[in-house]
Amino acid sequence: MKKWKCICGYIHDGDEVCETCPKCGAKGADFTELDEAAAKLIERSRHTNALHAQLIDLARQIERVCEDGIKDALDPGCVDVFEKSLKSSYIMMKLSMTEMQGHMGKGKWG
């Protein structure tokens, strides 16, 4: 399937370009058909980017659990585990965000 890139960055999948961009309203003439290599790169990266998005969501869930555990403060050992886990989840989230930012800069997005 062909991939078309709008001037705003939106990627349309289809044999024909769309009439208007659903994001910015640009006309089909404002889209550029991506070459096969760029289209394959976007298609391949969609799976990995979705996995990074899931990892970020999981890190946010861990963050909420840890904050609740720290607030609960059953005992110092528990608080220590929650504090360490909170720090780890933040790093995990930031690593995935940084990787996704790199993907966007290399055209591995869309």
Side-chain angles (χ1 to χ4, degrees):
M1 184 178 299
K2 294 179 182 179
K3 298 204 181 321
W4 307 83
K5 186 173 186 176
C6 181
I7 55 173
C8 73
Y10 176 82
I11 304 293
H12 170 74
D13 298 344
D15 292 327
E16 302 292 328
V17 68
C18 55
E19 290 183 27
T20 58
C21 176
K23 182 179 182 305
C24 73
K27 300 295 179 199
D30 293 323
F31 281 75
T32 304
E33 183 179 353
L34 298 178
D35 64 32
E36 187 176 335
K40 283 183 178 181
L41 184 61
I42 287 172
E43 191 61 40
R44 173 66 184 92
S45 67
R46 285 178 173 172
H47 177 68
T48 299
N49 291 332
L51 293 173
H52 280 295
Q54 289 178 9
L55 190 58
I56 291 166
D57 183 55
L58 289 170
R60 293 286 191 186
Q61 290 178 49
I62 291 168
E63 180 180 41
R64 289 188 293 273
V65 168
C66 291
E67 288 170 348
D68 191 30
I70 292 166
K71 183 179 173 183
D72 184 49
L74 176 63
D75 61 52
C78 288
V79 172
D80 184 56
V81 169
F82 289 127
E83 287 175 344
K84 288 176 182 174
S85 297
L86 180 61
K87 288 178 186 176
S88 295
S89 70
Y90 179 78
I91 291 169
M92 179 175 52
M93 178 189 65
K94 295 302 287 181
L95 288 171
S96 279
M97 287 176 150
T98 303
E99 190 63 21
M100 291 174 81
Q101 182 179 13
H103 288 184
M104 287 181 249
K106 296 176 184 174
K108 298 179 187 178
W109 193 263

